[in-house]
Amino acid sequence: MNQRRSRRPAPRPPEGTPAPAELARMARSGLAAAARVARWADAALGPGGDSATADGKATLSDATAERAARDLDLTPEQVRADWDTARLAGLIEVHGDTARPGWRLRAWNRDDSAVLRGWVALCDAWSLAYPEPEEYEAAAVAEVVTAMPQVLSFLQLSAGPVPVPQLLDLLQQRVTELRTERCEVDYVPQPEVSGSDAARPGAPESPAPWPDASGATGGRPGTAAPEASRTEAARSGPGTGLRPRVPLQRPRPAPAVPADTDAPLEPLLDWALRALASVGALTYGDGQATLTPLGSWAVWVKLEQICVAAQSPAGNIEQGAEDMLRGCAQLRPNAARAEYRAWLAARPVGSAVTELIEAARGEDALLRGLAFEALRVVGAPAEPEVRTVLDEPTLRPYALLWLAEHDGADPEDAHEVLTREEATWLWVDTAAAVADHGEAPLLVRHLESAVQPTVPALLTEVRAVGHPRTVQVLVALAAAHPDPALAKAVRRAAFQVHTGG
């Protein structure tokens, strides 16, 4: 029986939007320098090559930057800039002191969707791609970063040049709303207080209570929060293209505006527009800003993606493991398992298991998880080969969970076989899959599955675990989360990982 979701006609992009192939060509052109450095790093810094960094962090060492500059006929500064762009776009991943191409780079010349996803990842990280003004407090900068999705949405709806004074007025209104309406996170348990003491914007950023699925605070990982309806969750917009809809909360009294938020917004808006222009999302000059075709398309996609019904694939039985898993990605669990069974029945089990393991070794975290779901359908015949991957750090958490469930452990308790580090690595890997293929509300709800009791504890251990997708995951989580204080902390952690701090 087919359990596929009902289809709805795919929404049409706004009139004048270039075709996907043309958008991908634009993205390839804009990221050409970054792709060139990524390919150089793949050849020169891969296993058996020289070290990318002197300290095992993702920042290029001076010697490596100078070598790349000589080989590519660039300046060291250009190499460093292109290296950072390649990392933010997922074209290159750093593992200790070695670098390897990300899955997007491997698909660069044949997969337009991979190219566009890479560009969107860079666009989401615009505030990391362009240095922020040092003379302004971090709180003021964070407010502008949080408010810019509203500005981008307005630019997209305007479908043309917008004068900067008009954008400044919109930014000022949004920042005022943030200062007036936000609920500050209490980083330590505090007794009830009254009046203006109830909300203190200047409170130190120590451990915060966990947000539940709706964005309210007070829960802990593993504690079931009231399940919000899918319809309501879908109303929360992604972080780059539009203002997220925050669930109804009981507002606290309006806090007094602290001194560091009195910074003028004009130079901060100027910085934000220059940063977005640097990643190719808009053009900025002559007192006005205009979304580029890529920028307009990206904002539109984010507005539409949560409304698009999952489309069921066809012909999965005849596909290789990787294509079959991609085809099943949007199916409901029961329908996906039926596809796995049909696919397995059409080939020898030994070769099928080998093919699934090989797909799990790829760069796409979603396929890694789906491959082990398919191996659960295989059952006992897959056990010997699953055991052989226990020494592979990328697959070890998945293999341990598979073996625990195969040995009779309850799926809800199987995670107890993982060490803290393995559980954290798996959390980041799963978050990467959600960031690449899911919706913003799903990424927010993924917070509940972490083993850490507080947000700062999670961020500390995520930074330490060394997953190659850490920066992209934290940037996507900060963009998706409706709580400004938590998003600010996550964004700061992303910046620290990005800069090697």
Side-chain angles (χ1 to χ4, degrees):
M1 182 167 56
N2 195 329
Q3 297 189 28
R4 296 173 179 172
R5 301 178 185 178
S6 59
R7 300 172 182 261
R8 82 171 175 92
R12 299 177 64 87
E15 185 177 354
T17 301
E22 177 63 15
L23 290 169
R25 186 197 65 77
M26 295 176 184
R28 285 189 180 94
S29 176
L31 293 173
R36 185 181 180 215
V37 168
R39 291 192 177 95
W40 175 88
D42 177 35
L45 306 178
D50 294 339
S51 296
T53 66
D55 54 7
K57 296 180 180 179
T59 304
L60 275 180
S61 65
D62 291 340
T64 303
E66 291 172 2
R67 178 188 169 192
R70 290 193 302 270
D71 292 349
L72 300 175
D73 195 22
L74 300 170
T75 66
E77 292 73 20
Q78 288 174 315
V79 170
R80 292 184 187 279
D82 293 339
W83 171 271
D84 287 343
T85 298
R87 288 175 53 219
L88 292 174
L91 300 180
I92 195 169
E93 297 175 353
V94 178
H95 299 260
D97 60 356
T98 62
R100 71 182 187 190
W103 68 272
R104 289 179 182 134
L105 184 66
R106 293 180 176 179
W108 195 248
N109 294 324
R110 59 179 171 79
D111 190 341
D112 289 348
S113 66
V115 174
L116 292 174
R117 283 185 181 277
W119 185 85
V120 170
L122 175 65
C123 186
D124 284 343
W126 64 267
S127 61
L128 301 181
Y130 196 86
E132 65 188 50
E134 296 182 357
E135 63 270 24
Y136 295 104
E137 295 286 344
V141 174
E143 284 181 334
V144 171
V145 172
T146 304
M148 283 306 293
Q150 186 90 339
V151 176
L152 288 171
S153 183
F154 180 76
L155 279 166
Q156 200 275 337
L157 293 173
S158 299
V162 178
V164 170
Q166 193 172 357
L167 297 178
L168 179 61
D169 182 61
L170 178 63
L171 180 65
Q172 288 172 331
Q173 292 179 39
R174 180 68 184 121
V175 168
T176 299
E177 290 177 1
L178 289 172
R179 295 174 182 174
T180 304
E181 299 175 359
R182 71 184 172 212
C183 291
E184 293 290 329
V185 174
D186 295 326
Y187 286 91
V188 293
Q190 301 205 9
E192 291 188 4
V193 292
S194 59
S196 60
D197 292 336
R200 294 171 42 240
E205 296 186 3
S206 47
W210 278 81
D212 61 24
S214 67
T217 58
R220 291 170 62 90
T223 302
E227 183 66 25
S229 70
R230 290 185 179 272
T231 301
E232 184 62 28
R235 293 174 182 166
S236 299
T240 298
L242 66 159
R243 171 186 171 189
R245 173 170 175 171
V246 181
L248 292 176
Q249 304 177 32
R250 183 176 292 108
R252 301 183 183 187
V257 177
D260 65 3
T261 60
D262 289 335
L265 292 179
E266 293 93 335
L268 290 174
L269 175 62
D270 178 74
W271 161 72
L273 293 176
R274 290 183 185 278
L276 287 160
S278 74
V279 299
L282 53 79
T283 58
Y284 176 42
D286 299 327
Q288 60 187 19
T290 310
L291 285 180
T292 63
L294 268 174
S296 179
W297 167 81
V299 175
W300 173 80
V301 166
K302 287 179 178 293
L303 288 164
E304 290 291 336
Q305 65 182 1
I306 59 177
C307 302
V308 177
Q311 301 295 305
S312 297
N316 291 321
I317 295 175
E318 299 177 1
Q319 304 298 321
E322 184 174 333
D323 290 336
M324 180 274 294
L325 294 172
R326 290 190 189 281
C328 293
Q330 298 296 335
L331 296 180
R332 295 179 181 178
N334 287 344
R337 281 190 288 270
E339 293 284 340
Y340 300 154
R341 293 189 193 98
W343 185 84
L344 291 165
R347 50 193 40 79
V349 66
S351 63
V353 170
T354 299
E355 198 172 346
L356 288 170
I357 291 290
E358 198 59 34
R361 289 192 175 104
E363 304 297 333
D364 193 332
L366 175 65
L367 296 193
R368 192 152 35 249
L370 293 178
F372 277 85
E373 286 297 325
L375 289 170
R376 286 178 172 85
V377 174
V378 176
E383 181 180 0
E385 189 139 1
V386 170
R387 289 193 180 278
T388 65
V389 304
L390 287 174
D391 293 331
E392 299 183 34
T394 301
L395 301 184
R396 178 175 173 81
Y398 293 93
L400 286 172
L401 291 177
W402 189 97
L403 291 168
E405 293 179 28
H406 179 64
D407 290 339
D410 190 307
E412 294 186 0
D413 299 327
H415 67 276
E416 295 175 0
V417 304
L418 302 179
T419 66
R420 182 92 161 202
E421 183 178 359
E422 289 164 349
T424 303
W425 195 98
L426 182 61
W427 186 91
V428 179
D429 205 47
T430 305
V434 176
D436 280 343
H437 302 280
E439 301 169 356
L442 296 179
L443 189 59
V444 174
R445 290 201 293 272
H446 183 55
L447 276 171
E448 297 175 22
S449 66
V451 298
Q452 290 77 9
T454 65
V455 174
L458 171 65
L459 296 180
T460 298
E461 295 188 33
V462 163
R463 290 172 57 190
V465 80
H467 194 290
R469 296 292 307 281
T470 297
V471 172
Q472 289 88 351
V473 164
L474 293 179
V475 167
L477 179 59
H481 206 284
D483 185 282
L486 189 146
K488 172 186 169 185
V490 174
R491 193 178 297 112
R492 183 171 58 252
F495 180 79
Q496 291 169 341
V497 175
H498 174 62
T499 57

